[in-house]
Amino acid sequence: AQSVTQLDSQVPVFEEAPVELRCNYSSSVSVYLFWYVQYPNQGLQLLLKYLSGSTLVKGINGFEAEFNKSQTSFHLRKPSVHISDTAEYFCAVSGSGNTGKLIFGQGTTLQVKP
Amino acid sequence: GAVVSQHPSWVICKSGTSVKIECRSLDFQATTMFWYRQFPKQSLMLMATSNEGSKATYEQGVEKDKFLINHASLTLSTLTVTSAHPEDSSFYICSARDLERNTIYFGEGSWLTVV
């Protein structure tokens, strides 16, 4: 079985500062990892995904994440955040075969302050 | 634009009635769709996997007679909340897997309020 832990429930940061949202997973099989963003009262938008290949994954809106197998982590980073990045961020894992069935972390609220 | 669409976005129903939520893949065929439930300020919980042409697979603790899922075509899955109660009020989100693009797309979500 897979599980995902997002270590921070809230991350406050000032505009134009860098940010890292942490995600750790556990799995006994190969995994596929995803980061989604959710704006208030909306569905989820895919930021980026790791399926295979390069461990550094670049996504939309200037976000990137690095897959670290030895540390079972997939932290999300952005070098300079904007007010518009304020949202809920979810890390998710899909087991072997990328069936589409996702297990989500608890979510991290990113609060960008002016 | 959206590639997975949910309808309705908002619905209010009376206790004891049933309500249906639709999830459509707009530009791809989805043999598998997924239904999630999200309480305010919480994460998404997988409820069931909807399989085209066969019975849905429910997660542990989800009442299959309460949450009826039908996946009658390659582009449509429906979730019917039967005999709704106020505790069923929640945000319901569907997702669908696009095999060609190897990507999972989510719908915009449906807010259900049972009064």
Side-chain angles (χ1 to χ4, degrees):
Chain A
Q2 292 91 33
S3 68
V4 178
T5 302
Q6 291 183 241
L7 298 163
D8 308 295
S9 59
Q10 292 189 354
V11 173
V13 63
F14 286 106
E15 194 173 19
E16 298 184 6
V19 71
E20 178 179 81
L21 306 184
R22 297 180 293 169
C23 172
N24 285 88
Y25 68 91
S26 66
S27 176
S28 57
V29 297
S30 300
V31 294
Y32 302 90
L33 294 156
F34 306 80
W35 273 100
Y36 286 87
V37 60
Q38 184 180 35
Y39 298 100
N41 298 318
Q42 294 186 29
L44 274 70
Q45 182 181 11
L46 178 67
L47 282 176
L48 48 80
K49 60 185 177 184
Y50 172 78
L51 302 180
S52 65
S54 173
T55 56
L56 182 62
V57 181
K58 293 190 182 296
I60 63 170
N61 301 342
F63 284 95
E64 64 179 32
E66 184 152 22
F67 171 59
N68 188 319
K69 189 174 181 180
S70 62
Q71 297 189 6
T72 61
S73 67
F74 190 55
H75 302 332
L76 181 71
R77 295 190 292 259
K78 185 169 182 177
S80 175
V81 295
H82 302 289
I83 295 287
S84 59
D85 292 323
T86 295
E88 192 77 14
Y89 291 79
F90 291 98
C91 181
V93 63
S94 176
S96 179
N98 192 20
T99 61
K101 179 177 173 180
L102 296 178
I103 304 301
F104 284 87
Q106 302 89 329
T108 298
T109 303
L110 176 62
Q111 301 164 322
V112 182
K113 302 177 181 181
Chain B
V3 295
V4 173
S5 176
Q6 276 183 248
H7 178 82
S9 301
W10 301 82
V11 58
I12 300 174
C13 70
K14 291 184 178 180
S15 287
T17 63
S18 296
V19 62
K20 182 187 288 187
I21 301 170
E22 295 184 346
C23 178
R24 292 181 186 274
S25 56
L26 300 181
D27 65 351
F28 65 96
Q29 294 183 333
T31 55
T32 307
M33 292 184 175
F34 303 88
W35 286 97
Y36 295 83
R37 182 174 182 176
Q38 185 181 29
F39 291 104
K41 306 291 186 185
Q42 294 188 29
S43 188
L44 284 77
M45 274 182 34
L46 179 65
M47 298 174 67
T49 302
S50 173
N51 304 298
E52 188 268 333
S54 65
K55 291 183 179 180
T57 305
Y58 290 83
E59 296 299 304
Q60 193 171 11
V62 178
E63 300 175 59
K64 61 181 181 181
D65 296 328
K66 171 80 173 171
F67 298 99
L68 299 179
I69 291 172
N70 186 290
H71 195 150
S73 79
L74 286 170
T75 58
L76 174 65
S77 173
T78 60
L79 169 67
T80 301
V81 182
T82 63
S83 186
H85 291 284
E87 57 265 31
D88 298 325
S89 299
S90 188
F91 192 52
Y92 292 88
I93 308 178
C94 72
S95 71
R97 185 181 172 208
D98 183 344
L99 287 172
E100 262 190 48
R101 297 173 207 162
N102 197 14
T103 298
I104 303 155
Y105 294 102
F106 280 81
E108 309 96 326
S110 300
W111 276 107
L112 170 63
T113 301
V114 185
V115 297

